[in-house]
Amino acid sequence: MRNGRTLCFALAAALAACTEARTDARAQAADTRAGAQEGWRQVEAALGRPGAPQPYGVMRFSFPRTDLRVTVDGVQIRPALALGSWLAFQRVRAGGAMVMGDLVLAEDEVAPVMLRLQQGGVSQTALHNHLLRESPRVMYMHVEAHGDPVRIAREVRAALALTRTPLDPPPAAPAPAPAIDLDTAAVARALGHSGRVNGGVYQVSVSRPIPVRMGDQLVPPAMGVATAINFQPTGGGRAAVTGDFVLADHEVNAVIRALRAGGIEVTALHSHLLGEQPRLYFMHFWANDDAVKLARGLGTALKAMAVRG
């Protein structure tokens, strides 16, 4: 009996220690997140808006093109569907930061933005379309920079100031988002992955299982190397879908076949990065049809590539 009581006391002590350790770990994680947020204050000031902390110490900034009125096949595109400029910052071991992003530009904004970024030491890694038949025409400029994050933030902010991108800070307390006219649970079941509602759009992000690197630096999914699938309701259970699949070379044509079989149009195939390992290809797509049907087709395409479950 004494041995039994001793064992019970030992188990209770071990359980208490585990509980305390978990509490300490949560507190430490919260402190780490707070410290990470504090470390980006100067970058936030330079960009004129708060960032959103992401895994792997990434801080991501959004610049929705709410000034643009873009339509595709009669559908007015919400910024959260395909018109969101963004920048992602990650501190690196060698000092400074690695910065990547995607700037959504009208045609007449491309040349002045490229010139200003080049003058400021911010590189372009791609310039191309993501959509087809959009009106007015929209171009996407992918950028990369390494070094002092505050300097980089100032240079990109100066380039964006040459565009019609709204640069005023977002409201401190935005109005509650209206309910989305979409059965997101049914879409998630058909797709095999769940997402979140943002700006009236159901957004799903699916990471690859193999790490992506630039030299010896890990490129986290939040820096643009995760497959993005977005659903914008268009009424009656339908949705416009777009985004990009992030693919290895041997996956490209299998995904094309899966998308076409699902009634989904491929609108672009190209690179977004320079020098990444493994080499990645980005496939953009478009359809406007029954949302669950499209989710099944997109889910089949995801099964034709390597994704993280």
Side-chain angles (χ1 to χ4, degrees):
M1 181 65 70
R2 185 181 300 112
N3 289 340
R5 285 198 299 269
T6 301
L7 178 60
C8 287
F9 290 145
L11 288 172
L15 180 60
C18 287
T19 301
E20 184 178 355
R22 285 195 298 269
T23 301
D24 289 345
R26 285 194 293 268
Q28 185 176 8
D31 290 344
T32 300
R33 286 193 296 271
Q37 180 83 20
E38 186 63 33
W40 295 108
R41 294 300 185 197
Q42 289 181 295
V43 172
E44 292 179 324
L47 290 173
R49 63 195 52 228
Q54 307 292 320
Y56 298 96
V58 173
M59 184 64 79
R60 187 163 166 134
F61 297 84
S62 297
F63 298 85
R65 292 298 306 254
T66 54
D67 60 303
L68 295 175
R69 297 293 181 268
V70 178
T71 60
V72 176
D73 299 340
V75 176
Q76 183 166 322
I77 304 301
R78 288 180 176 269
L81 183 69
L83 300 175
S85 295
W86 59 269
L87 285 175
F89 290 70
Q90 183 190 40
R91 297 199 184 276
V92 296
R93 289 190 297 270
M98 175 173 67
V99 182
M100 294 182 179
D102 183 7
L103 307 183
V104 181
L105 302 172
E107 284 189 311
D108 64 332
E109 296 170 342
V110 170
V113 168
M114 182 177 288
L115 176 60
R116 184 64 183 81
L117 291 175
Q118 286 286 323
Q119 291 171 340
V122 179
S123 299
Q124 287 73 65
T125 58
L127 174 65
H128 46 224
N129 70 299
H130 287 181
L131 302 167
L132 294 175
R133 301 180 302 281
E134 80 275 17
S135 179
R137 184 72 165 159
V138 178
M139 298 297 290
Y140 296 79
M141 182 181 294
H142 298 266
V143 299
E144 177 186 347
H146 300 261
D148 174 39
V150 177
R151 180 192 65 79
I152 295 168
R154 288 175 180 151
E155 297 297 343
V156 176
R157 177 68 164 68
L160 288 175
L162 302 175
T163 75
R164 294 175 288 280
T165 302
L167 294 177
D168 290 335
I180 189 169
D181 181 21
L182 190 68
D183 188 346
T184 56
V187 167
R189 285 194 300 271
L191 184 64
H193 296 268
S194 59
R196 67 185 185 99
V197 176
N198 175 40
V201 173
Y202 187 56
Q203 299 179 327
V204 181
S205 179
V206 184
S207 300
R208 295 188 62 85
I210 299 174
V212 179
R213 294 187 177 276
M214 302 281 285
D216 63 352
Q217 183 65 37
L218 177 73
V219 182
M223 300 196 78
V225 292
T227 290
I229 299 175
N230 300 328
F231 295 77
Q232 177 181 313
T234 54
R238 294 166 62 90
V241 295
T242 191
D244 54 352
F245 284 80
V246 183
L247 304 167
D249 54 3
H250 63 277
E251 298 168 337
V252 167
N253 284 282
V255 170
I256 288 176
R257 290 190 291 270
L259 291 175
R260 296 303 302 148
I264 300 164
E265 178 184 18
V266 175
T267 58
L269 173 65
H270 45 224
S271 62
H272 286 182
L273 306 171
L274 296 175
E276 78 280 9
Q277 293 295 328
R279 183 66 166 151
L280 298 174
Y281 299 87
F282 294 76
M283 184 182 298
H284 300 268
F285 56 90
W286 168 265
N288 180 20
D289 203 339
D290 178 82
V292 175
K293 171 192 166 186
L294 293 176
R296 290 193 192 101
L298 292 161
T300 300
L302 287 171
K303 292 175 183 175
M305 56 182 283
V307 298
R308 188 177 301 166

